[in-house]
Amino acid sequence: TSAVILHSKGLNISRATIGAGRGLPAREARVLQHRPFEQVALVATEPLWAGHNYTLSIQYLANLSLSFHGFYKSTYRTREGEHRVLAATHFEPTAARMAFPCFDEPAFKTRFSIKIRREPRHIALSNMPVVKSVSLTPWLVEDHFDTTVKMSTYLVAFIISDFKSISKTTHHGVKVSVYTVPDKISQADYALDAAVKLLDFYEDYFSIPYSLPKLDLAAIPDFQSGAMENWGLTTYRESALLYDPEKSSASSKLWITSIIAHELAHQWFGNLVTMEWWNDLWLNEGFANFMEFVSVSVTHPELRVEDYFLGRCFDAMAVDSLNSSHPISTPVEDPAQILEIFDSVSYEKGSCLLNMLRDYLTADVFKAGLVQYLQKHSYQNTKNEDLWDSMTKICPTAGTDKSELQRDGFCRSSQRSSSNAHWTKGEALDVRAMMDTWTLQTGFPLVTVTVRGKNIHLQQERYVTGEDAPSSAGYLWHIPLTYVTSKSDTVQRFLMTTKADVMILPEVVDWIKFNVHMSGYYIMHYEDDGWNRLIKLLKKNHTVISSNDRASLVNNVFQLVRIKKLSISKAFDLTLYLKHERQIMPVLQGMEELIPLYRLVERREDVDGTGKELQEYLVSLFKDLIEEQSWSEEGSVSQRLLRQSLLLFACVHGYQPCLHRARGHFTAWQESNGTLSLPADVRAAVYAVGAQTPEGWAFLLSKYQLHTFSAERHDMELALSLSRSQDKLQWLMDEGLRGDIIKTQDLPSIIVLVANNPSGHHLAWAFLKENWDKVVEKFELGSSSVASIVSGVTRRYSTRAQLAQVKEFFSSLEEKSAGLRCVQQAIETIEHNVQWMDRNFEEIKMWLQKNHL
């Protein structure tokens, strides 16, 4: 060939040469840019031969990016109000090409040698430690970083800043440091301790040492996503890393610990072993998401992180039930398509499938498979099937001594059941055949159970919402079913690999509950009186089944209403038991199902008091539990999270005793000029109520801008966005776009908060239409930020007029925007809301009249 084609975007290349070595002079190369493909060709004067080594030298210039990707500019203000600038990188998935010309695809792994020139008042950080610093002039220093291990371009990172740091060394001898703006270094201790614990955990769990001599965690003042796993230099938004022991809430501790666990898991899954192409992104993200739970449940058991796992699976199912969903492993080609798969299907569904697989294989077999996968493919790239091959090889076949020796009888071989379709002794599990049904097909199954005496008839189909849902004819999953019954709380297992099957129980039972602890990624429907029996059980003695099982019943019953398998009255009948529920997951799941319904009903202009009645029903369901809450910070993490949710819920939904107390707290806080310390878990509720008056709103905004309240910004933004004044709501969005008082990184959440406010939903929609180009320019087409705005602004729409407006706006945009998956999802969601309201509104009205609590 006579040309070398590299990726390059926004770089001004002034000169390129190609050197053949062997003492020959380097020759000039012609530079051709192809902007649509973000590529540049270096054309040699004579042919380049296969098998020969050439050295490319490229001179180029570029400005720091003004978005959140590439090599970009970030700013912050010191306590004294001085404006300071730093530069940081964020390359995943395709932005390394904005910093240097390169083969910017994950399969091209190489070693990187980096030198950075800076002023003496700054420090430079990169993936590797500095090996030497040379003073070029009194005002310029050149740092030379050690050469990296073999890695992909998207993991390269560098930061030039005036950050301060604190450090510790792990048991295995790795130096871990946390870097932050100087004024916030006192908030770095929690993250440092967590990172040290987690890095030690992973080195032991994977039996593979961490590959680099150091690991830095840096809090960047402007950051689009939550965090990024750059090898040896992980980066975070400040709220995902900094923890103020005086002011941060329990939810903040949970979130920070999980995010650090996620990024550190990537040092193995993603960095050491990388997907070959972005279509298997879930191998990175599903794993890191899943490992958060595996690691944090061991390193920080008090956080009870496993309680929140099933919430993620429900979130994934909400998107995955739409026609516009995609298989977890899905073809992608251009940068926008690649960005689009950084979604809840790759992250949450990926982790839920791995959890199901671990439950199926047992934790030990699963772990052995993972370790084998990582060891075999270190410093290389993999596809979906490489993982399943590693998992399958762990399972022994019949007759070998090994299968008799394993203490849990590998592959569940020791468990017997009256049913012959059980995963039985000695059968080597074909993990790939099973998991292909989950990763290569869109969506997930609905399993319908019909009880006929001791015979349990099972049927599977694809769960999909909407009037014109496609038929599920071609779909078939290998479903690892688990169940408990009224006669036995021992978990029984049954692998369903056909459309329909029959299980025979040893005796007749009163009730049967499938998908124990919701560890499987599927929904259950109980035919005939199956649901009535479960509802009766919940009313009589709900603690007979686990709190996760109760949360999954609450979730499933409403999903069945969406596809017309059950009436809305039946779902509401089930919710009555929540009056006696005290565990966090079922309570939060009840709110998660009922509050959006209330928001839909409330938005209907023609409402005859039904919205008010529904709100009263909601408050009365949880009233006793709200009354039990102390306005303090005491209790376990889950008790604190529940308190935070309940008090905010009560105050936002007009529960008088809550409003009264919150007003008292807010007044005292205002009179102390913000010096009074409010308990972290009641802050959101207090601010939300205080911000309802113009004086309270202005006072809150004045504190929002101060350094001392940086740990409370999220609670304050929520409260400010609950104002009934349209001018104030408009001002919040405009400021978020300007990026001075409110950082632009927070604009997506501000727009969605305004859209959730009945006084603001049309403002948010108008703002999105008017500023679409600016939003896309700042956050990138296809990014999860843009997707969160599109779905957040439209998800409560439920009229045909609103549907027409949304369709009209998006079809007026250029093809790339109009064709975004988040746009298809938004349109589908509105269509479902329209149908849902048509079908269920009258029935809800009747049910509420009959069931006054």
Side-chain angles (χ1 to χ4, degrees), residues 530-820:
W531 275 105
N532 292 343
R533 287 168 182 252
L534 289 167
I535 291 169
K536 196 169 123 197
L537 168 73
L538 290 174
K539 279 188 182 153
K540 204 167 83 184
N541 184 4
H542 62 273
T543 55
V544 171
I545 55 175
S546 73
S547 67
N548 274 8
D549 279 320
R550 304 195 297 271
S552 76
L553 289 174
V554 172
N555 169 274
N556 285 193
V557 78
F558 280 95
Q559 305 323 308
L560 292 164
V561 174
R562 288 177 70 192
I563 55 169
K564 299 187 278 198
K565 294 273 186 189
L566 285 179
S567 68
I568 189 70
S569 308
K570 186 68 73 201
F572 270 81
D573 288 345
L574 184 140
T575 62
L576 284 163
Y577 106 88
L578 287 167
K579 217 168 162 37
H580 308 289
E581 183 57 83
R582 293 296 175 266
Q583 293 295 311
I584 182 165
M585 283 321 286
V587 169
L588 291 186
Q589 198 53 44
M591 290 181 172
E592 194 73 21
E593 301 297 343
L594 290 166
I595 294 172
L597 298 195
Y598 163 67
R599 295 270 178 235
L600 281 182
V601 170
E602 168 200 48
R603 286 283 162 84
R604 278 287 170 101
E605 313 299 315
D606 52 348
V607 175
D608 39 14
T610 305
K612 197 166 170 303
E613 277 186 46
L614 183 51
Q615 175 160 282
E616 282 165 9
Y617 172 66
L618 275 181
V619 171
S620 65
L621 262 192
F622 301 113
K623 192 176 94 179
D624 297 348
L625 191 53
I626 293 163
E627 287 298 325
E628 287 167 22
Q629 304 303 313
S630 64
W631 287 57
S632 70
E633 290 181 22
E634 61 200 33
S636 68
V637 170
S638 57
Q639 284 166 330
R640 291 183 60 188
L641 283 168
L642 187 58
R643 175 186 304 130
Q644 192 180 350
S645 297
L646 280 169
L647 295 181
L648 181 62
F649 163 82
C651 282
V652 168
H653 291 90
Y655 181 55
Q656 280 309 320
C658 179
L659 292 173
H660 180 69
R661 258 187 109 159
R663 275 191 205 111
H665 275 291
F666 190 83
T667 305
W669 180 67
Q670 201 171 351
E671 283 167 358
S672 76
N673 195 21
T675 55
L676 178 78
S677 178
L678 291 171
D681 308 332
V682 308
R683 229 172 27 216
V686 171
Y687 291 164
V689 172
Q692 292 302 306
T693 66
E695 307 73 42
W697 196 90
F699 182 75
L700 199 59
L701 180 65
S702 69
K703 295 298 172 233
Y704 175 82
Q705 297 174 56
L706 300 179
H707 247 276
T708 21
F709 292 96
S710 61
E712 304 171 37
R713 288 229 166 105
H714 181 70
D715 290 339
M716 290 179 164
E717 286 170 0
L718 172 64
L720 293 168
S721 74
L722 287 167
S723 168
R724 294 200 186 95
S725 151
Q726 301 199 353
D727 291 347
K728 289 186 167 66
L729 297 176
Q730 186 64 45
W731 183 88
L732 285 174
M733 294 187 292
D734 291 342
E735 272 310 310
L737 192 58
R738 255 199 27 203
D740 186 26
I741 295 174
I742 296 172
K743 285 241 175 226
T744 303
Q745 64 171 20
D746 298 324
L747 177 64
S749 68
I750 296 273
I751 296 174
V752 174
L753 288 170
V754 170
N756 287 344
N757 179 341
S759 309
H761 68 91
H762 55 286
L763 292 176
W765 172 238
F767 181 87
L768 177 62
K769 287 195 292 189
E770 203 170 308
N771 296 290
W772 176 259
D773 291 337
K774 288 180 189 160
V775 165
V776 165
E777 184 184 0
K778 197 73 187 169
F779 296 103
E780 277 198 288
L781 202 61
S783 70
S784 58
S785 306
V786 171
S788 70
I789 299 172
V790 171
S791 76
V793 168
T794 57
R795 67 169 171 241
R796 304 263 187 265
Y797 285 175
S798 66
T799 65
R800 287 175 174 78
Q802 288 165 330
L803 176 62
Q805 271 180 28
V806 172
K807 280 184 166 169
E808 183 189 0
F809 170 67
F810 285 110
S811 60
S812 73
L813 298 174
E814 46 123 21
E815 194 186 340
K816 274 217 151 144
S817 295
L820 285 175

Side-chain angles (χ1 to χ4, degrees), residues 388-540:
W388 309 141
D389 290 347
S390 294
M391 292 283 175
T392 302
K393 295 206 171 73
I394 299 297
C395 274
T397 47
T400 59
D401 293 341
K402 198 172 174 192
S403 69
E404 314 301 328
L405 292 174
Q406 288 302 326
R407 63 187 168 75
D408 63 354
F410 256 155
C411 307
R412 307 253 183 246
S413 56
S414 60
Q415 295 187 352
R416 275 276 178 245
S417 143
S418 55
S419 157
N420 55 6
H422 201 281
W423 42 98
T424 47
K425 178 164 182 164
E427 273 183 36
L429 299 179
D430 189 344
V431 175
R432 182 171 171 184
M434 170 179 156
M435 293 310 290
D436 277 353
T437 69
W438 295 93
T439 58
L440 305 180
Q441 299 185 102
T442 304
F444 56 89
L446 164 71
V447 179
T448 301
V449 180
T450 316
V451 179
R452 295 277 178 266
K454 288 196 281 190
N455 291 2
I456 309 291
H457 294 260
L458 301 164
Q459 205 158 3
Q460 63 159 296
E461 64 195 283
R462 180 180 168 196
Y463 175 93
V464 63
T465 48
E467 298 283 310
D468 41 6
S471 109
S472 65
Y475 287 82
L476 179 72
W477 284 267
H478 291 190
I479 311 171
L481 297 173
T482 53
Y483 62 95
V484 289
T485 67
S486 55
K487 293 285 168 64
S488 163
D489 56 7
T490 307
V491 180
Q492 301 294 329
R493 298 168 186 280
F494 181 88
L495 183 62
M496 182 176 184
T497 55
T498 49
K499 274 277 189 202
D501 210 337
V502 182
M503 276 177 2
I504 302 159
L505 298 181
E507 54 190 321
V508 175
V509 295
D510 280 340
W511 53 264
I512 185 165
K513 161 76 178 70
F514 277 87
N515 203 355
V516 184
H517 307 317
M518 182 70 205
S519 57
Y521 190 72
Y522 54 92
I523 279 181
M524 294 302 306
H525 176 39
Y526 303 90
E527 281 276 14
D528 304 333
D529 65 345
W531 275 105
N532 292 343
R533 287 168 182 252
L534 289 167
I535 291 169
K536 196 169 123 197
L537 168 73
L538 290 174
K539 279 188 182 153
K540 204 167 83 184

Side-chain angles (χ1 to χ4, degrees), residues 304-325:
R304 292 205 51 82
V305 66
E306 57 282 356
D307 286 353
Y308 311 102
F309 191 80
L310 79 167
R312 292 199 169 177
C313 304
F314 295 145
D315 291 347
M317 285 173 156
V319 174
D320 206 18
S321 64
L322 300 174
N323 257 336
S324 49
S325 185

